[in-house]
Amino acid sequence: VTAVLRTNGIDNSPLQIFVKAKKKINDIFGEIEDYVNDTVEYMHEIEKEDHIVSAEKVKQIEEFVDKVHSIREVLSRDHMKVAFFGRTSNGKSSVINAMLRDKILPSGIGHTTNCFLQVEGSTSEDPYLTKEGSNERCAVESVGQLAHALCKEKLSESEMVRVFWPKNRCLLLRDDVVFVDSPGVDVTPNLDEWIDKHCLDADVFVLVANAESTLMVTEKNFFHKVSKKLSKPNIFILNNRWDASATEPEFLDQVRRQHQERAVDFLVKELGVCSSKEAEERIFFISAKEVLQARMAEQGQTASTPLTEGFQTRYFEFQDFERKFEECISKSAVKTKFEQHSQRGKFIANELRDILESIYNEALRLREEKLKQRKELTDKINYTEQQLVIITQEMKKKIRNMVEDVEQRVSKALTE
Ligand code: GDP
């Protein structure tokens, strides 16, 4: 149903929380980039005039251009990452394939994943892989060939092979979920190096356990190390191979309860990563093999196989896991991937506003100063004009008096 809804454009997948947030933050940073570029251009224009803006401030804003550009690059690469751990043959590759609805990763008794395998979406039409430290694209025609390529190589157990799978073949990959499959935690691994190299940026960890046995010390040990390095990692526990329980229905409830209690204790009391209520939403009993078979048959890729007792319930539980997983990973990724960027975006926007405000205030101050200067000048002119008027009037008066005096004296002299 989810697949149909999504292809019809009514996408209510919880992954959309991340997809939409990513689009929004990308758009916002696009706008910030425009503002920064406009501001730099404007500052260059006014830098030459009036000393309104200092060279230091221009440099500060110019530095934002590169900063915003690199944030946009990081944002466009941001994805949600889920890493799968567990003992060899517990079904890690099968779970990933079931979620991706295709046999992408090699799985089976004859094959053991002896290195880290990352599956991510690509816009390329054909699948390909790259090995650590190289950009060379090796074409992958089939799972068999991928398995062969991986076995042939002498890869170290902490090395990473990246499998690029066409996005248009899988919705989870289209929505930027990246899957990481690990070698079994029982393969004498250097756990610390694994965590440092591949786990620090994981949003969700999935422990694929075997429902036919109890959690092993090696499996627990790994998650103890993870929860020491990361604060409250999101951990799901999948009790895989639950189809085996169908052969012993009389013990089904009892076995389930026992696994459930132990898994809750592990998450809540031992690791302290969640509350008991949250833990109930993190533990599932599934059969990856059945889900994969059913989905392949649904798509007409393989013939359908006879169903084991209780298949439908296990299938629903797998779907329930997928939904809870999608909710958890998208919320967690939004927080871890975008919170820092949005803080930085706010900081840059505030700095821009402060600088533009200071330019505006400086311009206002200069304008007032000029107006004042002009007023002083006009006052002076007015005063001089007034003085001139007074002086001229006095002069006129004096001259008139003088003329009158002379006239009087002349006429007096003439009469005399
Ligand atoms: P990984 O080593 O953890 O990646 O395990 P794989 O996915 O390669 O699985 C090992 C074997 O277990 C394969 O033969 C799978 O077909 C089988 N297997 C995986 N999941 C299940 C399951 O749910 N039920 C059963 N019966 N077999 C499974």
Side-chain angles (χ1 to χ4, degrees):
V1 173
T2 319
V4 172
L5 283 176
R6 288 199 204 175
T7 39
N8 286 345
I10 317 160
D11 199 337
N12 62 352
S13 146
L15 292 178
Q16 288 300 311
I17 301 171
F18 178 85
V19 175
K20 285 182 184 150
K22 181 169 169 175
K23 189 182 172 313
K24 200 159 189 181
I25 195 165
N26 259 307
D27 290 349
I28 293 173
F29 266 91
E31 282 176 28
I32 294 181
E33 192 166 37
D34 287 347
Y35 288 141
V36 173
N37 288 337
D38 284 355
T39 312
V40 168
E41 202 179 302
Y42 173 65
M43 284 176 110
H44 282 162
E45 268 172 34
I46 57 165
E47 195 185 8
K48 298 155 215 146
E49 297 169 23
D50 295 329
H51 308 289
I52 290 181
V53 59
S54 66
E56 195 189 323
K57 275 192 178 160
V58 177
K59 200 165 159 261
Q60 192 186 343
I61 296 290
E62 279 172 344
E63 278 168 11
F64 284 156
V65 176
D66 291 340
K67 257 186 212 158
V68 173
H69 193 73
S70 44
I71 291 176
R72 288 199 76 188
E73 257 182 25
V74 173
L75 278 174
S76 66
R77 274 184 316 217
D78 266 342
H79 52 245
M80 297 170 264
K81 183 167 161 183
V82 49
F84 292 78
F85 293 92
R87 266 177 305 140
T88 317
S89 293
N90 275 5
K92 296 179 292 298
S93 314
S94 304
V95 172
I96 297 176
N97 286 341
M99 291 175 82
L100 296 174
R101 295 163 185 265
D102 206 339
K103 274 192 178 155
I104 296 179
L105 295 180
S107 82
I109 299 160
H111 172 77
T112 46
T113 316
N114 50 5
C115 63
F116 275 82
L117 272 172
Q118 176 164 306
V119 187
E120 55 197 286
S122 94
T123 44
S124 149
E125 279 294 310
D126 300 307
Y128 63 91
L129 62 85
T130 62
K131 291 179 205 130
E132 197 165 312
S134 153
N135 283 329
E136 195 196 334
R137 293 182 177 198
C138 316
V140 193
E141 296 302 331
S142 64
V143 183
Q145 199 203 353
L146 173 62
H148 183 68
L150 295 173
C151 289
K152 200 177 64 178
E153 297 283 332
K154 277 260 161 282
L155 293 161
S156 113
E157 117 262 318
S158 59
E159 248 176 278
M160 170 79 89
V161 170
R162 291 168 73 181
V163 180
F164 293 87
W165 202 257
K167 278 186 180 184
N168 56 13
R169 289 201 210 166
C170 177
L171 291 163
L172 286 161
L173 298 179
R174 183 207 66 185
D175 286 347
D176 283 338
V177 182
V178 168
F179 291 75
V180 175
D181 191 7
S182 62
V185 280
D186 47 335
V187 192
T188 58
N190 180 355
L191 296 179
D192 287 300
E193 193 188 349
W194 280 19
I195 297 169
D196 292 343
K197 271 184 89 177
H198 308 298
C199 300
L200 295 182
D201 64 339
D203 301 291
V204 167
F205 294 86
V206 178
L207 165 59
V208 181
N210 186 346
E212 292 166 296
S213 65
T214 46
L215 277 182
M216 298 269 173
V217 177
T218 38
E219 289 166 311
K220 288 184 165 186
N221 207 359
F222 174 75
F223 284 94
H224 274 291
K225 279 180 183 288
V226 168
S227 63
K228 269 197 198 110
K229 296 210 182 198
L230 294 167
S231 87
K232 301 226 176 217
N234 298 306
I235 303 171
F236 282 81
I237 298 180
L238 296 182
N239 294 287
N240 193 33
R241 295 172 169 270
W242 192 230
D243 52 322
S245 66
T247 52
E248 294 172 49
E250 63 277 24
F251 300 118
L252 193 116
D253 288 341
Q254 192 193 335
V255 174
R256 185 177 174 129
R257 216 173 312 120
Q258 214 174 51
H259 278 317
Q260 179 82 12
E261 274 168 20
R262 287 188 183 157
V264 171
D265 270 0
F266 177 55
L267 292 179
V268 180
K269 294 191 184 145
E270 279 191 47
L271 298 178
V273 291
C274 60
S275 66
S276 355
K277 197 168 164 281
E278 284 165 336
E280 300 291 332
E281 308 267 86
R282 295 282 170 88
I283 300 157
F284 298 89
F285 292 78
I286 52 128
S287 168
K289 189 179 171 182
E290 281 179 337
V291 175
L292 180 61
Q293 275 172 350
R295 287 181 171 173
M296 299 284 287
E298 240 169 62
Q299 293 160 11
Q301 295 196 40
T302 52
S304 49
T305 41
L307 303 176
T308 322
E309 178 70 30
F311 161 77
Q312 217 36 270
T313 319
R314 288 188 294 275
Y315 193 88
F316 284 147
E317 191 151 345
F318 193 85
Q319 285 181 318
D320 191 25
F321 153 67
E322 288 180 303
R323 192 149 188 105
K324 304 260 165 58
F325 156 79
E326 290 186 6
E327 255 166 37
C328 177
I329 199 168
S330 61
K331 282 185 190 158
S332 159
V334 166
K335 236 183 167 175
T336 54
K337 309 269 152 60
F338 302 149
E339 199 166 75
Q340 234 181 17
H341 290 318
S342 70
Q343 297 294 354
R344 216 163 283 158
K346 261 191 214 163
F347 171 77
I348 293 174
N350 278 337
E351 287 288 297
L352 275 185
R353 195 198 52 207
D354 287 353
I355 285 182
L356 288 173
E357 224 165 56
S358 75
I359 293 177
Y360 176 71
N361 290 337
E362 184 62 14
L364 271 187
R365 197 188 61 78
L366 275 177
R367 186 167 155 245
E368 261 165 33
E369 205 170 81
K370 281 191 178 155
L371 277 178
K372 208 170 123 197
Q373 277 174 359
R374 200 186 295 164
K375 192 169 172 294
E376 276 172 12
L377 207 68
T378 348
D379 286 352
K380 264 186 202 156
I381 292 171
N382 286 345
Y383 176 76
T384 326
E385 270 176 2
Q386 276 170 4
Q387 290 299 309
L388 268 174
V389 172
I390 296 168
I391 292 168
T392 359
Q393 277 172 351
E394 274 181 9
M395 290 284 282
K396 269 186 189 166
K397 222 165 147 188
K398 268 188 190 162
I399 292 170
R400 205 170 46 233
N401 290 344
M402 242 164 68
V403 172
E404 275 174 13
D405 186 42
V406 172
E407 264 176 6
Q408 268 178 14
R409 277 200 235 169
V410 170
S411 62
K412 195 179 165 194
L414 281 176
T415 16
E416 276 174 2

